[in-house]
């Protein structure tokens, strides 16, 4: 009724094949059959032909996941070059892996296969990200270059974003504010939509533990100059998993935790001579029950999230200059109701953003690049005293300079942004990539001055908002290398060290009258090391890939924010010092096996470090079988998640599920 009174839409994408697949028991012992995929150490010494720097002939196989090929051009840094030429580290989750795990929320994919630390409240709850120890609101989540972060909260809820809608995901912790504007103190996560390929259609049905069902239908068609594609998903889940309540030692089931919703994304493209026009529409409608922590008992809270996003673009060339013009119109409606707490919170937010990129391709020493951006953002809610809006304008100059015969690439960037609520911000950066041993060893580094605008809640929340807040600022630097040896077994070795000095951080604390209010009082010193090694070998027709990663991060409150601040000089809450991950993929065409393991170290939950959460480890296994039959492509996927049945919490008093299964069947025509 509230939405109808606000003239907002109510998208209902219904399931296409719910009930076709039998519900799978969460305790099935068949899950243990997948453990044989871990018995790969005996093959570690197997030899395969020397790998050069050309495209991997097996790259199109289903088992090749998280692979960074030279032909992949990166978008998350605005430096349109392959990974090895980037000045900062970039991790790519490619379309092959997203297609296999398309039933999962984006938060699950990022937790399994990247260095991001996902602050997950469990199935049915919010999932935000932390990069290099910084808060979720200090990393930009971008869709085709436009931000998805909430205008009111500043963060993006990754549990609301299905992985199956996207063709690739790029994680770049070092991307500066000079690339996409404010918000990237901790870098960017860049989502690219799936591009229409050959004509066809697909239907997929999946089922899993805790009453989880997901239906997907998609199609693509192209003829001559134009092409269209569409994907629609519907997901529902009871999320009534069992857990051990640490407060009383009893086994209980999660209650008031069901959710359902649909997503639809449609793409259109048209090409005429040297002009390309394209557009994408993305609808989302989710309704969730909110259980709260296990200490609150049975909650009655519920929440709805509805959005529509319309992106359109034009690409052309004029007198040797390449022009790319993009525009995004975005409207979101958020409604949270908790009757026992007498809470009824309603938000309507809107964006209209425009971006123009200009490039002068050149085989010479300098490639001239730059851009203009502008936008209007607004929030309407009963939690503020009025309707508020923010206008912005940005100017960017980011040439690429090639020196020493192309062996040294220098990327200086200067960006000036102007905001109507806090004035102008200058964001410079300087990156380098130096090829020192043929094509095999690249040294790289970046230094930047970044900023993060205050959220609308920070500025205008009643009571406590502070309209006098300044943007958060940081000085960020990183350096490292990527090694691509032309030898068997090792594909690449990546190592990156970084340091971030954050000033004027926004921190909420209570005043004398008990009202919480934000101020620019936080200073953070964050530093660490990220490492990754990609291995590949082949035994007869079986192709193995093994990706190992380890990260160390230190993020300290560098000075007291208020008298007696016990967090000063200590690691920030919920930031693990150590985390490791391992992804093992086996392609036995037509079967692909995958094992993803991650371990997260101890996290402190109190600022004085008097209490913390124990380390946890999670192992997920999956099998995909693909076969052509009756003029159709059939694919079966069976996954066993948390195979070790680990009982753990990422956020205190928000339990995660134990061992559970998932099954999906898809048919492509």
């Amino acid at each position: 009724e509230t939405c109808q009174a606000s003239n907002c839409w109510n998208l209902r994408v219904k399931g296409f094949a719910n009930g076709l697949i039998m519900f799978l028991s969460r305790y099935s012992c068949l899950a243990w059959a997948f453990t044989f995929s871990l018995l790969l150490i005996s093959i570690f010494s197997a030899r395969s032909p020397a790998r050069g720097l050309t495209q991997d002939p097996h790259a199109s196989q289903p088992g090749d996941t998280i692979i960074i090929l030279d032909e992949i051009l990166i978008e998350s840094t605005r430096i349109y070059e392959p990974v090895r030429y980037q000045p900062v580290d970039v991790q790519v989750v490619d379309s092959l892996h997203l297609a296999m795990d398309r039933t999962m929320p984006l938060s699950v994919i990022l937790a399994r296969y990247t260095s991001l630390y996902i602050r997950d409240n469990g199935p049915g709850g919010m999932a935000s990200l932390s990069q290099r120890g910084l808060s979720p609101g200090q990393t930009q989540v971008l869709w085709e270059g436009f931000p998805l972060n909430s205008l009111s909260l500043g963060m993006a809820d990754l549990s609301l974003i299905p992985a199956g809608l996207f063709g690739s995901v790029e994680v770049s912790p070092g991307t500066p504010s000079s690339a996409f504007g404010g918000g990237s103190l901790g870098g960017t996560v860049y989502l690219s939509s799936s591009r229409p390929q050959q004509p066809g259609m697909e239907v997929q049905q999946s089922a899993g533990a805790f009453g989880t069902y997901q239906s997907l239908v998609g199609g693509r068609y192209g003829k001559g100059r134009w092409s269209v594609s569409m994907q629609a998903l519907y997901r529902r889940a009871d999320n009534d998993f069992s857990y051990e309540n640490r407060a009383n030692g009893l086994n209980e089931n999660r209650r008031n935790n069901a959710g359902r919703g649909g997503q639809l994304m449609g793409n259109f493209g048209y090409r005429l001579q040297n002009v390309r026009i394209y557009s994408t529409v993305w609808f989302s409608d989710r309704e969730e029950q909110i259980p709260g922590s296990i200490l609150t008992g049975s909650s009655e809270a519920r929440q709805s999230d509805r959005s529509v996003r319309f992106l359109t673009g034009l690409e052309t060339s004029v007198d040797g200059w390449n022009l790319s013009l993009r525009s995004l119109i975005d409207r979101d409606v958020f409604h949270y109701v908790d009757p026992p707490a007498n809470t009824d919170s309603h938000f309507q937010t809107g964006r209209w953003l425009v971006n123009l990129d200009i490039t002068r391709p050149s085989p010479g020493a300098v490639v001239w690049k730059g851009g203009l951006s502008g936008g209007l953002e607004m929030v309407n809610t009963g939690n503020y005293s009025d309707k508020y809006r923010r206008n912005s304008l940005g100017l960017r100059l980011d040439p690429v300079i090639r020196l020493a015969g192309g062996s040294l690439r220098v990327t200086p960037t200067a960006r000036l942004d102007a905001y109507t609520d806090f004035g102008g911000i200058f964001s410079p950066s300087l990156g380098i990539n130096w090829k020192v041993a043929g094509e095999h060893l690249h040294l790289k580094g970046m230094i930047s001055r970044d900023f993060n605008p205050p959220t609308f809640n920070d500025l205008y929340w009643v009571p406590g908002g502070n309209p006098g807040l300044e943007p958060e600022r940081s000085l960020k630097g990183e350096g490292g290398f990527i090694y691509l040896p032309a030898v068997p077994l090792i594909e690449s070795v990546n190592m990156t060290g970084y340091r971030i000095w954050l000033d004027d951080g926004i921190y909420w604390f209570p005043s004398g009258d008990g009202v919480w209010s934000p101020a620019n009082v936080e200073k953070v010193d964050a530093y660490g090391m990220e490492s990754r090694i990609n291995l590949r070998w082949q035994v007869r027709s079986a192709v193995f890939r093994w990706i190992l990663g380890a990260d160390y991060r230190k993020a300290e409150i560098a000075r007291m924010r208020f008298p007696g601040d016990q967090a000063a000089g200590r690691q920030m809450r919920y930031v693990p010092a150590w985390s490791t991950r391992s992804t093992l993929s086996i392609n036995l065409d037509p079967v692909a096996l995958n094992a993803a393991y991650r371990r997260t170290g101890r996290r402190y939950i109190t600022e004085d470090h008097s209490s913390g959460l124990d380390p946890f480890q999670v192992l997920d296994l999956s099998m995909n079988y693909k076969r052509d039959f009756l003029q159709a492509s059939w694919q079966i996927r069976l996954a066993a998640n948390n195979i070790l049945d680990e009982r753990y919490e990422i956020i205190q008093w928000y339990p995660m599920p134990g061992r559970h299964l998932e099954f999906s069947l898809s048919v492509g025509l």
Side-chain angles (χ1 to χ4, degrees):
E1 293 177 0
T2 303
C3 270
Q4 291 174 359
S6 305
N7 295 320
C8 68
W9 59 95
N10 186 13
L11 172 66
R12 298 296 185 215
V13 183
K14 295 185 177 180
F16 297 95
N18 279 331
L20 295 180
I21 308 299
M22 295 290 291
F23 180 78
L24 300 179
S25 170
R26 69 192 71 175
Y27 300 113
S28 173
C29 62
L30 293 178
W32 292 100
F34 291 104
T35 56
F36 76 91
S37 63
L38 299 178
L39 302 179
L40 301 175
I41 303 303
S42 61
I43 314 173
F44 187 86
S45 59
R47 298 296 180 181
S48 60
R51 182 189 65 87
L53 294 171
T54 58
Q55 183 175 359
D56 189 337
H58 300 280
S60 62
Q61 299 299 324
D64 293 337
T65 60
I66 332 294
I67 307 166
I68 299 177
L69 302 177
D70 290 342
E71 287 72 16
I72 295 178
L73 301 181
I74 299 303
E75 298 183 87
S76 60
T77 63
R78 283 201 188 275
I79 302 171
Y80 204 57
E81 297 273 11
V83 168
R84 57 187 175 136
Y85 292 120
Q86 295 291 327
V88 295
D89 185 43
V90 180
Q91 302 171 59
V92 179
V93 184
D94 66 14
S95 59
L96 296 174
H97 195 82
L98 291 171
M100 285 195 296
D101 285 338
R102 64 197 313 174
T103 61
M104 295 293 183
L106 185 62
S107 56
V108 175
I109 303 302
L110 293 175
R112 285 178 180 172
Y113 307 119
T114 74
S115 61
L116 284 173
Y117 174 59
I118 303 300
R119 299 184 179 183
D120 198 333
N121 287 268
M126 174 181 285
S128 59
L129 60 87
S130 175
Q131 198 152 233
R132 293 183 171 175
L134 300 186
S135 69
Q138 293 168 337
T139 296
Q140 279 186 318
V141 179
L142 302 166
W143 174 49
E144 300 290 358
F146 293 108
L148 295 179
N149 296 54
S150 166
L151 291 174
S152 56
L153 296 174
M155 66 182 71
D157 186 355
L158 303 177
S159 70
L160 301 177
I161 304 175
L165 292 181
F166 306 101
S168 70
V169 178
E170 300 170 12
V171 176
S172 176
T175 297
S177 294
S178 58
F180 297 97
S184 59
L185 304 185
T188 60
V189 176
Y190 194 101
L191 311 177
S192 297
S193 302
S194 297
R195 302 296 185 222
Q197 299 175 358
Q198 68 271 18
M201 67 174 296
E202 178 185 15
V203 177
Q204 177 174 311
Q205 176 66 44
S206 66
F210 323 128
T212 302
Y213 295 91
Q214 177 161 299
S215 305
L216 177 147
V217 62
R220 26 184 208 280
Y221 183 76
K223 184 177 181 181
R225 302 179 184 274
W226 60 272
S227 62
V228 294
S229 67
M230 183 274 291
Q231 289 189 88
L233 301 93
Y234 177 83
R235 181 182 177 90
R236 57 146 292 197
D238 295 332
N239 292 321
D240 55 346
F241 58 90
S242 63
Y243 63 93
E244 181 181 354
N245 191 330
R246 294 192 298 111
N248 54 29
L250 301 177
N251 287 324
E252 300 178 355
N253 286 346
R254 204 74 163 117
R255 298 180 180 179
N256 194 62
N257 201 26
R260 62 179 182 179
Q263 308 262 350
L264 184 146
M265 182 177 287
N267 298 279
F268 170 80
Y270 182 79
R271 185 179 296 275
L272 178 64
Q273 295 180 351
N274 69 333
V275 178
R276 175 176 172 257
I277 301 172
Y278 58 92
S279 62
T280 302
V281 179
W282 178 8
F283 293 97
S284 177
D285 183 359
R286 291 288 299 273
E287 294 183 357
E288 305 283 346
Q289 296 175 339
I290 309 298
S293 76
I294 60 177
L295 300 180
T296 60
S298 180
S299 170
E300 298 179 19
R302 61 186 186 275
Q303 173 179 316
S304 64
D305 296 88
R306 298 180 176 89
S307 66
V308 60
R309 302 178 178 97
F310 178 67
L311 183 148
T312 184
L314 181 149
E315 297 174 354
T316 188
S317 59
V318 179
D319 294 332
W321 291 88
N322 291 341
L323 307 179
S324 176
L325 178 64
R326 292 182 179 183
S327 175
L328 173 71
I329 299 175
D330 177 5
R331 187 173 180 183
D332 300 85
V333 174
F334 164 86
H335 192 197
Y336 176 83
V337 178
D338 188 353
N342 197 27
T343 299
D344 189 340
S345 184
H346 188 266
F347 281 82
Q348 294 185 46
T349 67
R351 285 187 176 105
W352 177 47
L353 306 176
V354 180
N355 184 81
L356 173 65
D357 289 322
I358 307 173
T359 306
R360 177 82 175 186
S362 171
V366 181
V367 177
W368 290 104
K369 297 172 54 185
L372 291 168
S373 61
L376 166 64
E377 300 171 321
M378 62 190 74
V379 178
N380 181 19
T381 175
N383 297 293
Y384 304 163
S385 61
D386 201 351
K387 298 179 182 179
Y388 290 99
R389 59 193 296 169
R390 170 185 290 166
N391 297 325
S392 62
L393 180 65
L395 173 64
R396 184 188 79 256
L397 180 63
D398 55 341
V400 177
I401 303 172
R402 303 188 185 103
L403 303 173
S407 295
L408 178 63
R409 286 171 165 80
V410 182
T411 52
T413 302
R415 183 185 181 105
L416 180 63
D417 289 277
Y419 290 81
T420 54
D421 48 2
F422 53 80
I425 300 288
F426 180 62
S427 305
S429 66
L430 178 65
I432 62 169
N433 185 290
W434 185 19
K435 183 173 58 177
V436 296
E439 292 288 346
H440 303 297
L441 179 62
H442 292 254
L443 305 181
K444 55 187 180 179
M446 171 78 80
I447 186 169
S448 61
R449 180 69 166 150
D450 306 312
F451 75 99
N452 191 34
T455 69
F456 279 70
N457 280 6
D458 292 332
L459 296 170
Y460 308 119
W461 186 266
V462 176
N466 183 358
L469 288 172
E470 295 292 329
E472 300 175 311
R473 299 304 307 265
S474 74
L475 178 63
K476 179 169 61 181
E478 73 170 67
F481 67 86
I482 178 171
Y483 179 48
L484 302 162
V487 298
L489 190 62
I490 301 177
E491 279 201 321
S492 65
V493 180
N494 294 261
M495 184 76 71
T496 302
Y498 65 88
R499 188 146 196 173
I500 303 171
W501 294 272
L502 188 150
D503 290 302
D504 295 329
I506 296 174
Y507 178 76
W508 286 70
F509 55 92
S511 59
D513 57 1
V515 175
W516 289 73
S517 184
N520 293 106
V521 297
E522 193 162 73
K523 182 179 178 64
V524 176
D525 185 6
Y527 55 91
M529 183 73 68
E530 299 162 347
S531 61
R532 190 169 66 258
I533 181 170
N534 291 19
L535 306 176
R536 177 189 179 279
W537 68 97
Q538 185 169 351
V539 178
R540 297 182 180 177
S541 61
V543 179
F544 298 85
R545 288 189 180 274
W546 195 0
I547 302 176
L548 302 166
D551 304 304
Y552 172 77
R553 60 184 71 83
K554 194 74 172 177
E556 300 176 341
I557 302 297
R559 69 182 178 198
M560 287 189 179
R561 298 161 293 186
F562 50 86
D565 186 0
Q566 298 186 51
R570 292 189 170 99
Q571 181 88 329
M572 297 180 67
R573 296 169 63 241
Y574 287 110
V575 176
W578 282 98
S579 60
T580 57
R581 61 197 178 280
S582 173
T583 304
L584 198 55
S585 301
I586 314 170
N587 182 23
L588 302 166
D589 194 23
V591 177
L593 305 174
N594 191 75
Y597 170 86
R598 67 185 189 275
R599 186 184 190 278
T600 300
R602 183 174 178 81
R603 295 131 291 141
Y604 294 102
I605 58 178
T606 56
E607 294 189 332
D608 63 356
H609 287 194
S610 60
S611 182
L613 295 176
D614 293 334
F616 68 87
Q617 56 183 348
V618 178
L619 175 62
D620 300 318
L621 305 177
S622 65
M623 179 190 73
N624 285 63
Y625 176 79
K626 190 173 184 180
R627 175 66 72 185
D628 292 337
F629 180 66
L630 297 178
Q631 298 182 339
S633 177
W634 298 75
Q635 182 167 313
I636 297 174
R637 180 179 184 271
L638 183 58
N641 301 312
N642 192 5
I643 192 72
L644 303 177
D645 202 23
E646 184 86 344
R647 301 294 173 149
Y648 66 103
E649 296 173 358
I650 297 178
I651 303 297
Q652 187 184 29
W653 308 122
Y654 286 82
M656 301 295 290
R659 184 187 309 118
H660 57 285
L661 299 181
E662 186 175 336
F663 175 82
S664 68
L665 172 66
S666 62
V667 182
L669 303 174

